[in-house]
Each structure stands twice: as structure tokens, then as C-alpha cells.
Amino acid sequence: MVLLGVVSGVLSTLRSARTVAQWKHVPMVSESSKTGSVLAVVPARDEEATLPSLLTGLVGQPGVRVVVVDDASADSTAKVALAHGAEVIASPGPPQGWAGKVHAMHLGVQAVRDEDWLLFVDADITCSPDLVGRLVATASELGADLISSSARGTGPAWWFLLPAFNSLVFEGSPPDGKGPTALAVGHCVLVRRAAFEKAGGWEALAGDHADDVGLATLVRDSGGFVRFVDASMLLTTSGLDTFGDTWRSLRKSIQPAFRDMFGARARPLLFAAGLLHLVYGLVPVLRWRSPWSWLAWCAQAAPHRAFVKRVGQPEVSAVLAPLSWATIGVFLLDCALRPGARWKDRRVG
């Protein structure tokens, strides 16, 4: 049992140090603004309630055309988009072999004229009126072909579940773009049109449900420079407001990603990862009298604090870090034991 405590303390320290170091190298979005020729594509399925908040801030930004792709909505998505000044492309839904969101973004790109940049934004995002100009300035200053940022949100998932999940993401997709896959978050992705086309566009990711990471990796592997940046102070999302929404959103990304990467081994690997992370989180709690457990607890709290500080959540929540990791273990077990996920009434896993 002593050995278990030692392993927990050392592993937590090494793992957390890496995540904290990675956060220190995530650049903040530029304070400057630069007008660029940008086509903003918004995939939207039954988003009449969320689109007004997004389009109020996005439509009319200098140099930006906004196209909303109505992905077979059953509500008034198209009417709302038109009323707020966006162009609308109607889609009957994805054909065989295409993921719904990817196909919608693919249709949106077909509306391109002479724009130099493509911006992909989720419909449940609210953005500041200087977002696009500051993103273009950031990409220019970094010499990047693709930059991406996650948004901020409210609710318990932001200070409890997502901090540990962020560490998992950074381990597989480091924010400097130099890992097995390159990091991007579908909330907001800006990419040079030339780099996008060189990478193969959305056709190269037709059936992919981890389209954000997939696009960033394709751009990087085709010679582009990719960076994850922090523009969260300019972006908010309502898509992860409840714990249940966050759980379902993560499931619809993790399950297909593991299936695509590992095939028949996906479920056993998810199950093993779930057990390991359950233990990883519970050991510091169950053996709290051990100094090694205190080391593990403090180490796990450090990257938790780094995340919540960036997204404007209470830093005191870092004390719950081991429980956050244990919950991630349960989440991964859930992904393994309940195959298949649904999103917007479509099966995605």
C-alpha cells in the first residue's frame, strides 16, 4: 500500500507539471485587431434560440461574411439567421459517410468567394464584436495557418469535470501542435483558406466526429503551423451549461474518436483507462493520511487551478481535483460500457 501511495504522488506530480507547463505556453489572443477577408461558417441544427446571441456579435464585423448552414432543422433556424443578417444555405442532412456537422461546414465552405480566411464557429457561441479582427491579428503575429480557442461557460462542469478533461486533452493533443494530434476546439477555429485546401478540406474528414482536432492535425501534417490560443475572454458558450449537457457532449466526441483510432480495441482501452483514472483520483482521497497522498492531491490541484483561472471559474475548486479525476474515470467507464452516443437526434458513436 505504501508503494501505491508513492506511485500516486510521483505520477501526479510529473503529470501535473507537464499540464501546468503547457498552459504557460498558450498565448493570449492579440490585443491588436487586423481586418482580414473572412468567411465565417456556422453549422446550425435546431439553433433558433442560440443564433441571435451569436449573430448579433458576429455579423457586421469588418471583413467578415457570415454563412449559416441550416442542417435539416425542424425549427426556425433559417428565418432567425436571415433576420440577423446572415446568408443561409439549406442542407437536407448529411449523405452516407458524412458526419452531420462536417457536412454542414463543407457546404458552408462552398460559398467562398475570394476570402483568405475561413472561420468555423459553433452556433451556441456568443462573441465580442472585435473577435475576428483579434484572431486574424493573432494568427498573423504567430505566423500560424490555423488557430483555435475554446469558449468560457458557466455551470458545475466548468469547475469540476472539465479541468481534469483538459489535462487528458493536452496529453493527446498538446496546445503547441507537436503531439500525436494537433489541438483545436470546435467552438472557434480560424484557418487560412490556402492551408485548408492544401490539407484536403472537409472531404478528408467526411465521417469524423472529432473534426476540430482532425482539421488541425491535417493542416499541421500538410506543412501548416497550428496553435491553440486563449481567446476565451471574447467567447462564451451555452452548450455546456449543465453537467448532463457536458457529459453528453464529451461522450459524442470521445467514443467516435476512440473507435476511429483503435477499432475493436476501443472499448477495452476505454474500460482500462476508466479504471486507472478512477484509482488515480481516489487514492489521494482514501489514503489522505499519507504524505504521498497529500503530494498527489496538491499536484492534481495545480493544473485544475490553471484551467479554472483561465476560464474565470473559482480557483478554490482546485481542492476537488482528485474527485474530478475519479469522475473522469466514471465517465470513461460509461463510454466503454454504453457504446453509441446521440447528438441532435443523430447517432454519432
Side-chain angles (χ1 to χ4, degrees):
M1 295 299 289
V2 173
L3 180 60
L4 180 62
V6 172
V7 171
S8 174
V10 172
L11 178 60
S12 296
T13 300
L14 295 175
R15 190 180 195 186
S16 298
R18 180 185 181 189
T19 302
V20 171
Q22 288 172 326
W23 265 118
K24 290 181 179 178
H25 291 92
V26 174
M28 302 297 291
V29 67
S30 177
E31 293 292 337
S32 301
S33 183
K34 180 178 180 180
T35 300
S37 179
V38 181
L39 174 66
V41 177
V42 183
R45 178 170 167 81
D46 297 332
E47 297 286 2
E48 65 177 9
T50 61
L51 277 175
S53 296
L54 168 65
L55 298 179
T56 298
L58 188 60
V59 172
Q61 293 200 27
V64 181
R65 280 177 61 217
V66 181
V67 172
V68 173
V69 182
D70 179 13
D71 184 13
S73 298
D75 64 5
S76 299
T77 288
K79 291 181 180 178
V80 169
L82 288 169
H84 284 80
E87 301 173 35
V88 174
I89 295 175
S91 169
Q96 185 70 29
W98 283 81
K101 182 180 178 182
V102 175
H103 183 252
M105 292 188 290
H106 171 67
L107 291 181
V109 170
Q110 306 313 300
V112 73
R113 295 172 186 165
D114 58 355
E115 288 86 2
D116 298 320
W117 295 91
L118 302 173
L119 175 67
F120 301 99
V121 188
D122 282 350
D124 55 14
I125 293 294
T126 299
C127 68
S128 70
D130 60 346
L131 170 70
V132 181
R134 290 176 68 177
L135 288 175
V136 172
T138 303
S140 298
E141 291 168 9
L142 294 173
D145 297 291
L146 181 150
I147 61 172
S148 177
S149 176
S150 59
R152 296 186 180 193
T154 58
W158 284 93
W159 52 261
F160 184 72
L161 184 64
L162 290 174
F165 190 79
N166 168 80
S167 292
L168 280 182
V169 170
F170 273 14
E171 287 169 355
S173 305
D176 62 5
K178 296 179 180 178
T181 55
L183 179 60
V185 176
H187 292 166
C188 177
V189 179
L190 178 73
V191 59
R192 292 183 194 272
R193 178 182 164 193
F196 174 83
E197 292 173 348
K198 182 179 179 182
W202 290 122
E203 292 105 322
L205 296 165
D208 202 327
H209 293 283
D211 48 87
D212 42 15
V213 170
L215 178 60
T217 304
L218 279 180
V219 169
R220 181 200 65 185
D221 292 349
S222 60
F225 181 48
V226 174
R227 287 299 300 269
F228 180 75
V229 304
D230 187 355
S232 62
M233 71 294 297
L234 308 178
L235 293 160
T236 58
T237 177
S238 60
L240 305 175
D241 280 353
T242 71
F243 198 89
D245 286 343
T246 305
W247 193 280
R248 287 186 290 271
S249 179
L250 297 182
R251 281 187 86 243
K252 63 95 175 174
S253 297
I254 289 296
Q255 283 194 330
F258 262 72
R259 181 196 61 204
D260 292 344
M261 287 188 295
F262 302 111
R265 295 179 295 157
R267 290 184 67 186
L269 288 172
L270 279 169
F271 188 81
L275 288 179
L276 289 172
H277 283 93
L278 187 60
V279 173
Y280 182 76
L282 288 181
V283 166
V285 177
L286 298 179
R287 294 183 52 78
W288 63 271
R289 289 186 176 87
S290 165
W292 290 104
S293 292
W294 280 105
L295 174 63
W297 199 312
C298 292
Q300 291 178 24
H304 189 117
R305 178 177 177 271
F307 176 84
V308 295
K309 186 176 181 179
R310 288 274 187 155
V311 298
Q313 295 296 309
E315 294 179 41
V316 69
S317 66
V319 73
L320 301 175
L323 297 178
S324 176
W325 275 112
T327 305
I328 286 293
V330 174
F331 165 77
L332 293 173
L333 288 172
D334 178 45
C335 290
L337 297 174
R338 291 198 302 140
R342 298 191 68 82
W343 192 254
K344 298 287 185 179
D345 296 322
R346 288 175 178 158
R347 186 177 177 87
V348 296

